[in-house]
Amino acid sequence: MPPSSSSRRHTLTHGVSTPNFLAELPPQYTVDAESSQNPVARRRLSHGPPRYSNAVALELQRQGSSSGQGSTGQHQHEFHIMNANRSHAWTTLRIFSRNAGSTPQFFGGDSISGSVELDLEKPQKINSIILYLRGRIITSSLEDGSYAFLDHAVDIWNKDAGDPRATQAGGKRFDGKLDGKYRWPFNFAFPTEFTIPSHGGQISHSFQTPQTFHERGLNTTLEYELFLHINHGMFRGSSKLHVGVAYVPNITPAPSSPLRRRAYLEGVSLSSPGEDYAGWYSLHPVILQGEMSGRSGVEFRCILSLANPLTYTRGTVLPCFINIEAVDQKVLDTFANAKIIRVCLKRRISYTRNASLVLAHFKANTRGKGSSLRQDEMTEIVEDTGQAVWWVPSNAAFYGPNVRCLEGEIHLPKNLYPSCMVPFLIVEYYVALSIDLSDVFRFTSVGSHDSPIISQPVTIASFHGEGPLPVAFTAPPGKRASGLSSHRRAQSNTDVFITPRHL
């Protein structure tokens, strides 16, 4: 009779110790006791909080993710198909992955390795054993509420291959009856890309395989599973085993500038945008005009600069720098204030409302690569994920009497979902600058106080690239469960982008 249930067990393979990447990806910041007493490190700020560092833990993470060997010296997971009375596991799926938790996890470039094992108490007819790796986007529990964008099949064994215990090929055709113990090892790469056919299957569009996606409050889920299918023939139902797995793509930033790398290594202040042109990306200068304290024609100029390249690893920081220029000293002192300069990292999520539309759209589509669903087929949400902390740089006096500058950083939550661009799930990030001075100032040139003055798209990476690890120089915000604002709002109701006057 076919088995009636399945079970799972997780064991740790002894030998090489591997950090728990699932729980600490990337790890939290910890105080570096030495740096707080190190005069070189203290040069980073003339005054303020101590230097914070997570270099050791992040270096372990980077070494673990760059080896490309996701099957060596790792954690072992076992999953079983039991017999009818649950007294015997006649099928075991053994998987090696990076983490010791209940869900096996894999990074971009990893291999999925393990074995399929049978322990048959009596002869069973088996035609084939196939292991599938599947990725699905799920929008509802209905039959058409999911779409399998990834379906990778691995043939473990089939009866046409003959008796597994046969010493040589050929001879009598094997009838598929197996008895006793068998073991088939497997090893295959987790696909880093997937394709969706379009235009009648004549064209295929390729996309980077996205990370597993589960977030409370969003009506969409992106999940992966290993599906073991054992075919017994036409007179008996197949035996099946479903195992959920997690995936993290390998997205890394390009190397930073030589001056920035040296600053991270030596623990000194980052060079300013005027000193390190390659290390900063300066947005277009913006002139803001309005009325303040009954005076009209008040004007000031600001330039927001972000660390270059514009890709930042979650769990680290996004350095930023702002220059504010004005002829009137009172205006300059009013606006060059860390309490009113608001620079936030925002996240825009767009996801399909109906998974069944994905394939239909691409089959009918004749346009070029990268086409996604129509706007009316997507749900869009915009939310804050972090806000800059500011301080006055130690060399601020060198900028002149009509210029004020602030240096800062945005702490990136370690569990930020990396940037993603697939037809059914788009996760984008951008940095937005706004001014919070509605009680004393009224804009006449750029709209409301709630609207961003200027914004810049950025990329959130999952892992670190080459070079020294980024260093945070302020304490991260208090512990947050999700790292996201609790108030989610649709973009059409909140973020109204304006067109400021550029120089």
Side-chain angles (χ1 to χ4, degrees), residues 279-337:
W280 294 93
Y281 180 88
S282 296
L283 280 65
H284 291 293
V286 184
I287 292 179
L288 298 99
Q289 297 174 331
E291 299 177 358
M292 186 178 73
S293 302
R295 296 170 52 198
S296 61
V298 174
E299 180 177 292
F300 66 96
R301 178 179 184 263
C302 65
I303 303 176
L304 175 64
S305 300
L306 307 176
N308 192 42
L310 298 173
T311 301
Y312 314 96
T313 303
R314 56 186 178 180
T316 62
V317 291
L318 191 165
C320 40
F321 198 99
I322 191 166
N323 284 359
I324 299 176
E325 304 174 14
V327 176
D328 191 308
Q329 291 294 314
K330 182 179 179 181
V331 172
L332 189 61
D333 293 337
T334 299
F335 285 96
N337 187 329

Side-chain angles (χ1 to χ4, degrees), residues 9 36 42 75-76 99 210 237 256 304 324 350 424 438 448:
R9 183 178 66 185
S36 63
R42 288 170 59 190
H75 300 281
Q76 178 178 286
N99 64 298
S256 54
L304 175 64
I324 299 176
S350 303
F424 41 81
S438 57
S448 69

Side-chain angles (χ1 to χ4, degrees), residues 394-408:
S394 57
N395 60 348
F398 294 99
Y399 288 85
N402 295 326
V403 180
R404 299 286 187 272
C405 56
L406 296 172
E407 187 176 357

Side-chain angles (χ1 to χ4, degrees), residues 188-461:
F188 62 95
F190 200 114
T192 57
E193 291 186 344
F194 69 95
T195 60
I196 298 180
S198 67
H199 196 43
Q202 299 177 12
I203 303 174
S204 293
H205 300 302
S206 297
F207 303 92
Q208 183 180 46
T209 304
Q211 178 174 308
T212 303
F213 184 82
H214 297 277
E215 282 202 16
R216 183 177 301 175
L218 297 183
N219 189 31
T220 190
T221 299
L222 194 154
E223 64 182 27
Y224 297 91
E225 71 167 5
L226 287 170
F227 169 46
L228 183 64
H229 183 270
I230 302 177
N231 187 317
H232 297 282
M234 61 181 357
F235 299 110
R236 177 180 170 182
S238 298
S239 302
K240 302 174 183 179
L241 180 61
H242 298 263
V243 176
V245 299
Y247 176 72
V248 180
N250 188 14
I251 304 173
T252 59
S256 54
S257 69
L259 288 177
R260 186 178 300 278
R261 293 199 299 269
R262 187 176 70 180
Y264 285 148
L265 288 172
E266 298 179 357
V268 298
S269 298
L270 299 181
S271 299
S272 69
E275 300 166 320
D276 183 11
Y277 295 103
W280 294 93
Y281 180 88
S282 296
L283 280 65
H284 291 293
V286 184
I287 292 179
L288 298 99
Q289 297 174 331
E291 299 177 358
M292 186 178 73
S293 302
R295 296 170 52 198
S296 61
V298 174
E299 180 177 292
F300 66 96
R301 178 179 184 263
C302 65
I303 303 176
L304 175 64
S305 300
L306 307 176
N308 192 42
L310 298 173
T311 301
Y312 314 96
T313 303
R314 56 186 178 180
T316 62
V317 291
L318 191 165
C320 40
F321 198 99
I322 191 166
N323 284 359
I324 299 176
E325 304 174 14
V327 176
D328 191 308
Q329 291 294 314
K330 182 179 179 181
V331 172
L332 189 61
D333 293 337
T334 299
F335 285 96
N337 187 329
K339 295 181 179 180
I340 70 162
I341 300 295
R342 190 170 186 266
V343 173
C344 292
L345 178 68
K346 291 179 175 287
R347 181 177 77 163
R348 180 188 292 112
I349 302 178
S350 303
Y351 61 92
T352 177
R353 301 191 190 104
N354 189 340
S356 64
L357 295 175
V358 176
L359 186 58
H361 171 83
F362 270 83
K363 283 184 176 180
N365 178 48
T366 58
R367 291 179 294 175
K369 178 180 178 180
S371 176
S372 59
L373 298 176
R374 298 195 312 267
Q375 192 67 28
D376 60 355
E377 298 169 340
M378 305 286 283
T379 296
E380 186 173 273
I381 293 175
V382 174
E383 57 194 356
D384 290 349
T385 62
Q387 183 172 340
V389 180
W390 298 102
W391 63 86
V392 178
S394 57
N395 60 348
F398 294 99
Y399 288 85
N402 295 326
V403 180
R404 299 286 187 272
C405 56
L406 296 172
E407 187 176 357
E409 58 192 12
I410 302 174
H411 288 266
L412 307 178
K414 66 175 183 177
N415 58 349
L416 270 184
Y417 193 84
S419 297
C420 173
M421 185 67 67
V422 295
F424 41 81
L425 177 64
I426 300 173
V427 181
E428 303 170 288
Y429 292 88
Y430 61 95
V431 175
L433 166 66
S434 58
I435 304 293
D436 184 15
L437 201 62
S438 57
D439 53 340
V440 297
F441 186 84
R442 185 172 67 87
F443 288 111
T444 60
S445 63
V446 294
S448 69
H449 295 272
D450 296 330
S451 301
I453 295 171
I454 195 169
S455 64
Q456 173 62 43
V458 298
T459 299
I460 298 300

Side-chain angles (χ1 to χ4, degrees), residues 48-68:
R51 173 174 175 253
Y52 284 72
S53 176
N54 60 347
V56 175
L58 290 178
E59 181 63 26
L60 290 174
Q61 176 235 357
R62 181 170 65 177
Q63 291 174 356
S65 65
S66 63
S67 64

